[in-house]
Amino acid sequence: MCSQWPGETQSEVIKMKRIIFISIALTTFLFCSCAAAGTTQNSTAAATSTITTSTATGTTTPAITPTVSTPPATVSVTSTVTTKPTTAGTTTVFPTTLYVPGAAPYKPTGAELELFQYALSLINTDRQSAGLPAVTLSYNSAAQKHAQDMFDNFFSSHWGTDGLKPYMRYTNAGGLNKEGETSCYSGWVNPSDNPNNYQAINVRDEIAALEHIMVYDDAASNWAHRDTIRSKAYTMVSLGIVYDGKRLALVQQFEGKFVDYYSAPMISNGNLTLLGRLASADIILNNISIAYDPPSQKLTNTQLTSDPAYTDGYSLGERLNFVLSPPPAGQQYSGLPSNAIIAEKWEVNNLNQFSIQANISAALSKGKGVYTIVIVALINGESVNITNYSIAIN
């Protein structure tokens, strides 16, 4: 199931099950789930097996209206001034050093690094077969932490046992841009099962089989895994791999490189402040969508493996409001939806630096929870979400 956001499709959790018949008539189950818009991937063929798939259903976030997704070109203006555009052009003195999150990266070494590089080679083989550039290995620790969580607790889901979704984990681990996650688990979901009843696996073969399923046997999930792997929006991928002789948890967390910040995005006293730098002049800021998730709650194995709320799909949360730049001096927007917010400051200079300030008190009426800042930009005429940065308000 897909969740529609400005200019792109946000793919939601899709669960996929591969059943491998073994000599003692018990089975090993492989589950895959995927979120975010993307692309495709190749790998070695899966082992001979019987494959069944089940496609989860989820909610779809309403798309933003066309008049909002391309302002002000499709928004009519008049000569009456109803906003104060003078602050829009205020010159900001930008810092000389970029913000570096304090979260520790996860950097594998030795045999684990070799396994990461093998998984990366499968991804890049598939990207290159689709005419896309290779992604490089990144070290956001959210991928490894989620793989460990799935492995330790015998489940596959984009939610973690802490109740967090991928973009929340990514932000907590120092992520600043747009991310898209695929996650897979090969094993059994009942922790009380006897491991001796299951066949051993070769970890490289298992990773290759999962990769193959996500790219070549993904029709049941509307090819969402494949599209994530082959997305031109992504330039990096953080991996999470946890395994023993019989089970495997695999997470691929893809990441774009659209923005850097001079300070962490901040909400204070109802005001949103963004101070950063775009990766290129081809990125044209369009609007900022604000989404909401209620405070997270711990989840059990039963919920994560059986409850449709956590197995069927997820979105970026409830879209509340969106922020637009002030109109040109002497003009006004007309016909904007009631959830539109006009920024008090929206400055972008010829060095691709930006400074945005907006009073988003109207979007904070939900109170405690997680507010996700989704910057929407036009890149070569295409609307792209370039961030999903989550801020918790307690």
Side-chain angles (χ1 to χ4, degrees):
M1 192 65 179
C2 297
S3 173
Q4 185 71 34
W5 274 72
E8 72 170 28
T9 298
Q10 180 74 20
S11 304
E12 299 180 349
V13 175
I14 302 297
K15 188 170 72 174
M16 185 178 195
K17 182 167 63 177
R18 180 164 70 98
I19 304 176
I20 304 176
F21 292 95
I22 59 177
S23 58
I24 55 176
L26 293 179
T27 56
T28 297
F29 300 95
L30 279 69
F31 299 101
C32 297
S33 51
C34 169
T39 354
T40 321
Q41 179 174 353
N42 294 344
S43 59
T44 54
T48 301
S49 60
T50 299
I51 299 175
T52 60
T53 61
S54 59
T55 303
T57 56
T59 58
T60 299
T61 304
I64 211 165
T65 60
T67 54
V68 174
S69 62
T70 55
T74 58
V75 179
S76 60
V77 295
T78 69
S79 60
T80 304
V81 178
T82 57
T83 62
K84 294 174 62 178
T86 53
T87 57
T90 302
T91 301
T92 299
V93 177
F94 289 90
T96 57
T97 57
L98 295 171
Y99 165 68
V100 178
Y106 184 83
K107 292 189 175 182
T109 59
E112 185 181 37
L113 176 58
E114 292 179 4
L115 194 59
F116 275 50
Q117 291 172 334
Y118 171 71
L120 178 65
S121 71
L122 295 175
I123 291 170
N124 282 330
T125 296
D126 291 330
R127 286 179 62 88
Q128 290 165 353
S129 70
L132 294 165
V135 292
T136 59
L137 195 59
S138 188
Y139 301 103
N140 186 289
S141 64
Q144 183 67 18
K145 289 178 180 177
H146 188 51
Q148 190 70 59
D149 188 21
M150 293 196 303
F151 185 87
D152 290 345
N153 294 285
F154 296 80
F155 74 93
S156 177
S157 173
H158 285 298
W159 275 267
T161 55
D162 55 5
L164 298 182
K165 298 180 187 179
Y167 51 93
M168 301 175 190
R169 293 191 294 268
Y170 169 75
T171 300
N172 287 346
L176 301 174
N177 281 265
K178 166 194 172 76
E179 64 77 43
E181 178 190 274
T182 70
S183 58
C184 297
Y185 170 75
S186 176
W188 54 96
V189 296
N190 185 348
S192 64
D193 279 2
N194 184 353
N196 293 328
N197 291 334
Y198 293 87
Q199 64 180 353
I201 62 172
N202 176 289
V203 64
R204 289 196 173 211
D205 290 347
E206 204 74 3
I207 290 173
L210 290 169
E211 195 76 13
H212 184 89
I213 289 172
M214 288 191 289
V215 175
Y216 295 110
D217 196 10
D218 199 38
S221 64
N222 199 28
W223 303 100
H225 305 84
R226 180 199 67 181
D227 290 345
T228 296
I229 293 165
R230 288 186 176 176
S231 173
K232 63 183 179 181
Y234 300 127
T235 58
M236 300 174 288
V237 63
S238 296
L239 297 173
I241 302 174
V242 182
Y243 67 98
D244 58 14
K246 297 187 176 181
R247 293 191 300 129
L248 166 69
L250 170 66
V251 175
Q252 302 170 336
Q253 189 153 46
F254 292 88
E255 181 179 4
K257 183 62 173 177
F258 299 102
V259 301
D260 289 303
Y261 288 103
Y262 293 106
S263 58
M266 179 176 63
I267 298 174
S268 178
N269 297 320
N271 293 302
L272 171 67
T273 300
L274 302 176
L275 190 68
R277 182 182 68 188
L278 300 170
S280 78
D282 294 331
I283 303 172
I284 301 173
L285 297 184
N286 181 267
N287 71 80
I288 301 168
S289 287
I290 302 168
Y292 170 79
D293 286 284
S296 60
Q297 298 180 344
K298 292 188 180 299
L299 301 172
T300 65
N301 170 277
T302 299
Q303 289 174 296
L304 290 166
T305 58
S306 304
D307 189 336
Y310 306 108
T311 61
D312 281 0
Y314 82 98
S315 70
L316 285 174
E318 178 187 357
R319 187 196 47 203
L320 301 177
N321 296 79
F322 57 92
V323 179
L324 298 173
S325 64
Q331 297 180 322
Q332 71 170 23
Y333 292 127
S334 66
L336 291 180
S338 60
N339 61 341
I341 296 172
I342 305 301
E344 296 168 349
K345 180 177 183 179
W346 188 293
E347 177 190 350
V348 183
N349 65 23
N350 58 6
L351 297 177
N352 306 318
Q353 297 167 313
F354 62 89
S355 177
I356 298 172
Q357 295 176 6
N359 186 322
I360 61 167
S361 296
L364 305 178
S365 60
K366 294 283 188 177
K368 295 180 180 180
V370 177
Y371 293 83
T372 298
I373 310 304
V374 182
I375 298 179
V376 183
L378 292 174
I379 303 177
N380 298 321
E382 180 181 355
S383 185
V384 179
N385 294 355
I386 64 173
T387 69
N388 31 359
Y389 187 92
S390 296
I391 299 174
I393 294 183
N394 299 315

